[in-house]
Amino acid sequence: MEWMRAVQRLREQRVPGVLVTLTSVRGHSPREAGAKMVVSADRTWATVGGGNLEAVAIERARAMLAEGLAVPETLKVSLSDKAPYQHGVQCCGGEVELLLEPLPVVPSVAIFGMGHVGLELARILARHDLELHLVDSRAAQLSPAQLQGLDDAVAGVHVHQVPVLPELVIGELPEGTHVLVMTHDHAEDAALCDAALRASHLASIGLIGSSAKWSRFKAKLADEGHAPETIARITTPIGLPDLGGKAPATIAVSVAARLLQLFSGDPDTSEQHTKVNP
C-alpha cells in the first residue's frame, strides 16, 4: 500500500510526518472509513478523498508538524453545502471524522562493541521504538546466534560487521545518533572517540570506562588536535550517577535509563556523572 511505503520511507529518511486516517463516515463521503494518507512538510501520499476535506487535513497535519506536536488529534469535517469551506465547496452530504497521528523521527543509537554490556544494552533498547545500530570488529559478536535475543525487536536493528576500521561507520550513521563506545579494545575506543569528535551530526557521545582510562584518552585526544571544549562533548562515565553496581546487566540498565532521559529532553542532560564504569 502506498501509505505504508510512505511511512517506511519517512522513517528511513528520518523525516517527520502525519498519518491521516478516515475513521468514520456518516452519510456520503468521497472515501470509505479506513482510507489513509501520509503528510510531510512538503509531500503527501495516498488520499482520504480530495477537495476541501483533504486540504483541511493536510493543512492541520502541517500545522502539527510545524508545532512539533506528538499527540494524535481528531478532526471532524462536514461535507454539506451549508458548511463553511476553506478550500472550495464539497457537498457530498456527509460528515467524516479523521484521526491525525504524528509520525515523529525516532531516536537513533549506535553501540560500538557488542561485549557483555553492549549485548545487554542492545536487548533493553531493542524493546523501544528506535533505530539501533550494532557495530563490532569481531564477526562472532554479531552472529545470528549471539543476537537471537533481538529476533522480536521493536526497534529497527542494523548490524554493521566491520573487521577493520569500525570508526568509518561513524560517518554513515543518521543525523542525531547517540553513540556509545564500549569495545573490547581501548585502542579501538580511542579511534572511535577521535572519529566521533570530528563528526558534527551526532547527538551525543558516551564512553564506558574508569577515570584513569579517561585521563589517558583526554591527553591522547588533545595530542590529536581536539580542543578542551570539543573533548568535553564526550560523556564518561556513562549511565545514571546514582545507580551503583558493575554487573553488565546493571550497567546496561543504567545506560539505557540515561538514554531515555536524553530522548525525552531531560533538562539535566549536561550534568556531570560520577558513576564509575569498569
Side-chain angles (χ1 to χ4, degrees), residues 2-3 6 9-10 36-40 43-47:
E2 184 183 2
W3 70 268
R9 188 178 303 119
L10 289 178
K36 296 180 185 292
M37 172 177 66
V38 176
V39 181
S40 72
R43 279 198 65 182
T44 64
W45 295 263
T47 177

Side-chain angles (χ1 to χ4, degrees), residues 25-31 49-50 53 78-81 85 89-96:
V25 174
R26 190 176 64 184
H28 297 284
S29 165
R31 294 295 306 275
L53 163 63
S78 174
L79 303 178
S80 164
D81 57 0
Y85 287 92
V89 175
Q90 193 170 22
C91 52
C92 302
E95 182 178 80
V96 302

Side-chain angles (χ1 to χ4, degrees), residues 124-125 128 130 255-266:
I124 297 171
L125 293 178
H128 296 269
L130 50 81
V255 174
R258 191 57 180 167
L259 279 171
L260 292 176
Q261 289 180 334
L262 286 170
F263 299 161
S264 65
D266 188 313

